[in-house]
Each structure stands twice: as structure tokens, then as C-alpha cells.
Amino acid sequence: MGPVEPPAGKALPGHGDLPHAAGRPVIGQRLRTAQRDRFAAADPLVPTPPPPPDGEVVTAATASGEQVAGVLQTKTHAPGTLDLLWSAQRVWQLFPYPGETGTEGMDALLRAWRRRMDAESPGPDSACTVTWPSRDAPAIHAFLRHGMVPVSVLALRTGPPPAEIPPEEVTVRLARPEDFEEVLALTKATFDYTALVTSHHRPDAAELMAPQLRRNLAAGAPIWLAETGGVATAVADCGWVDSAPGTWAAELLPKGHWGYVNNVATRPGSRGNGIGRALMSTVHRDFARRGATGTYLYYNPTNPLSSVFWPRQGYRPLWTFWEVRPASALR
Ligand SMILES: CC(C)(COP(=O)(O)OP(=O)(O)OC[C@H]1O[C@@H](n2cnc3c(N)ncnc32)[C@H](O)[C@@H]1OP(=O)(O)O)[C@@H](O)C(=O)NCCC(=O)NCCS
């Protein structure tokens, strides 16, 4: 198998794609230690947080005077980039350091951020975002109170491979370069559906995805097709991601060699017939055979199909991607 490009588009920004503060302690040691302890207590699978990223520091205090802080980063995605498949064009991302203050410190910080946003004119294609451990329950209340919604979760599967599903009329095979048109059409079905169940719609999704999909097929990426009576009915576009010290992945995933499930869709008229289950049983068994630590993916909690399908497939949330659009709607 040739080199496969990193999976497209949906990599939730942890700190990995941002410069870390070099030498300058933007966030004090007390808050950094509290962050490490808070993440570890919330979820043992969440990696130890990296040093704070560079950016503008936002500060606040709780009613009892406990100081909390966050680092604010802004990003503008260029037209035509894959990030636009899941992200607003202009993004204000906060990296909170709420200490051990439960809901209150996060709430105070989000209030300070709201005031800070008064100095901006974000425009319609914009968002305020935070990526936070899914199981830190006290933070959830604060995010909701400020108008943020859980738009996506990164979920992990670390269980043993499932039993083989006896092939009835479904056959599952690796896609080849000549399957490009069918793979693209099925992949587009995911975006057509998510446009209905999320606030994010990119009519140009297929054009954005096509070049990378073509290259990944040519490189022999693990892109799987399910066929029913010889007709392609589902796709699972997958890849490999190494979480090794110093990589972006190490900030999101436990150390290891992870299978990434990027895009899965069953043709609209064929859903609910067990094709997705048969497809994923092949995918999960193949990843396990090749030594994967586990597999991970992103799904939208508001997607009534995938939010049920993936937990039943053994996935559980690790990170939640909170967002409010447009950025001016932060409360
Ligand atoms: C998620 C998805 C890939 C699952 O594929 P699928 O071929 O429908 O999967 P299955 O038939 O194996 O399982 C679907 C489950 O929903 C149930 N279901 C019932 N009616 C359904 C319907 N009209 N449509 C879809 N699923 C239905 C099925 O019975 C099954 O539950 P079960 O495990 O209890 O039997 C498919 O629903 C899909 O393409 N959704 C739109 C795109 C999408 O959301 N992709 C995932 C992005 S993360």
C-alpha cells in the first residue's frame, strides 16, 4: 500500500495544528496543573493536555475570586480548503483553563469571552468553538448556558473486533481507482444527510472532496465498498492515524496506531437493511487484523441515524466539539 494522505477535513482542532507558546507562560502553572488533573478525572482516555497554545489571553474570576483564563485563537479558512467541510470560514476558538472551579469558572470565562467578542464583526459564516472532554459534565452546563451546541463528537472504539456477519446478499470489498464515481456519490450522500441534521451545509462538498479521494484510491487507502446484487450500496472511507508523542493526534487520542473511519454512508433507499453493520464488521475486523489500537470517528449528536448507529457499533465519546454560529450569537 502506498502513502495515504491524512484523512480529510474533520480533524477536530485540539491544540495540534496551533503553535504552542514558546517559553512564555501564557497560562500559569496552577491552572495548567488543574487542567491536567481535571482531564484525568473526567476521562482516563483523554491524553495529558499539551502546553497552552499561543494566542490572546482572556481572564475572568469566580464569585469567590478564583482566577481562571483561556487562550483565544482566530482562524480564517481559505475558499476551497477541506476544513470548510465541517468548519465555518471564520473561527474564534477558545482554549479554556477553568481550574478546579466546576461549572462556575467555565461560565465566568465564557462570559468574559462574550464581552471580548463585542469588539468583533464576525459575519454570517463564522463560529465560536471549544473542544472539550465529553465526560467533563460540569462544563457542559456552562457551554449550553452560553448558547453553544455540541455539533460533533470524536468517539473511540477499543473493544474486540465484532463477529463476522455472514454475507447474505451483501459483499464487501476494497474500492479501486475505477470505483471513484460510485465512491464519490456515496460519500456525498453523507454530506446531503448531515446538511439536514446539522447547521452546516456546503453545496460544494463533492468538489472539495474529489481530489483527495481520487489520490487516496490511487494510493490503496482502506476505502471499502458494500455491494448488493453487484450495485454499490455503501462506502466506508477509512485511513490510519498514528498517535505518537509530538504529533497532533497525540493531543486527541491515546498513544497507538488508530484506524480512522472518515466517512460512512449507505445509499438512501437501502438504509436500515443491515448493510452498514455488515460493512463495519469487515472494516473493524480488518483494522484489528492489521494491529490497530482501536478505531475512531466523528459523528454529529443531532444525526438521528449515526448517533445511534455508532454507539451500537461500540463507539463512545471522547471529545465534544462545541460551537455557536454565527460567532456573534455567543451569549
Ligand atoms: C449510519 C448509516 C451509514 C448506517 O447504515 P445502514 O446500512 O442503514 O445500517 P444498518 O441497516 O446496519 O443499521 C441501521 C440501524 O437503524 C435502523 N433503522 C430502522 N429504520 C431505518 C431507516 N429507515 N433508515 C436507517 N436506519 C433504520 C436499522 O434497523 C438498524 O438498527 P439495528 O442495528 O437495530 O438493526 C446510514 O444510516 C446512513 O447512511 N446515514 C446517513 C449518512 C450518515 O449519517 N453517515 C454517518 C456519518 S458519521
Side-chain angles (χ1 to χ4, degrees):
M1 183 189 289
V4 171
E5 289 178 43
K10 281 190 289 182
L12 284 186
H15 301 188
D17 51 350
L18 304 168
H20 290 162
R24 193 162 44 87
V26 287
I27 300 290
Q29 191 56 47
R30 178 186 63 83
L31 287 177
R32 290 161 67 164
T33 304
Q35 186 92 330
R36 195 195 56 208
D37 295 349
R38 183 169 176 149
F39 281 18
D43 189 340
L45 290 187
V46 166
T48 304
D54 252 340
E56 178 187 338
V57 177
V58 177
T59 56
T62 64
S64 63
E66 187 161 342
Q67 295 290 320
V68 294
V71 179
L72 186 61
Q73 289 251 346
T74 59
K75 238 188 270 185
T76 301
H77 296 294
T81 53
L82 284 172
D83 291 314
L84 293 173
L85 289 176
W86 57 271
S87 173
Q89 200 192 7
R90 295 187 72 198
V91 179
W92 281 258
Q93 181 172 13
L94 187 73
F95 298 86
Y97 288 80
E100 285 158 347
T101 59
T103 302
E104 200 192 348
M106 188 67 92
D107 186 41
L109 198 50
L110 295 174
R111 241 187 347 265
W113 186 16
R114 161 66 270 162
R115 285 193 297 273
R116 164 65 185 80
M117 290 305 293
D118 288 343
E120 304 284 350
S121 305
D125 194 354
S126 64
C128 285
T129 70
V130 176
T131 302
W132 200 251
S134 302
R135 290 186 176 177
D136 183 10
I140 296 174
H141 188 71
F143 293 137
L144 291 171
R145 190 182 285 174
H146 289 274
M148 305 194 88
V149 290
V151 289
S152 181
V153 298
L154 183 162
L156 290 181
R157 181 187 195 284
T158 51
E164 183 169 6
I165 302 219
E168 286 172 24
E169 69 276 21
V170 183
T171 52
V172 178
R173 64 169 175 86
L174 279 170
R176 298 182 286 262
E178 56 270 29
D179 298 314
F180 172 75
E181 292 298 338
E182 272 153 333
V183 171
L184 184 66
L186 284 164
T187 309
K188 189 174 170 294
T190 304
F191 289 94
D192 291 344
Y193 190 76
T194 52
L196 300 173
V197 297
T198 67
S199 57
H200 192 57
H201 179 44
R202 292 283 170 199
D204 55 349
E207 293 89 84
L208 285 174
M209 282 179 309
Q212 177 163 313
L213 192 57
R214 201 185 283 282
R215 287 194 297 271
N216 280 351
L217 280 169
I223 299 173
W224 297 87
L225 265 185
E227 291 172 321
T228 314
V231 175
T233 42
V235 71
D237 173 0
C238 304
W240 286 94
V241 169
D242 275 322
S243 171
T247 61
W248 65 266
E251 298 179 11
L252 287 174
L253 300 168
K255 197 156 66 68
H257 190 43
W258 291 87
Y260 174 51
V261 180
N262 176 33
N263 223 318
V264 177
T266 297
R267 198 181 283 278
S270 305
R271 290 175 193 157
N273 293 312
I275 297 172
R277 214 150 43 90
L279 174 63
M280 291 316 297
S281 104
T282 300
V283 170
H284 287 137
R285 281 182 301 109
D286 187 71
F287 271 130
R289 203 172 50 239
R290 292 173 193 276
T293 310
T295 49
Y296 80 99
L297 48 76
Y298 299 91
Y299 69 81
N300 306 117
T302 52
N303 180 330
L305 300 179
S306 65
S307 63
V308 177
F309 183 75
W310 292 122
R312 292 195 70 167
Q313 288 287 316
Y315 287 82
R316 61 82 144 184
L318 184 72
W319 294 94
T320 302
F321 185 51
W322 293 87
E323 184 181 86
V324 55
R325 290 188 193 210
S328 53
L330 184 68
R331 288 208 294 263

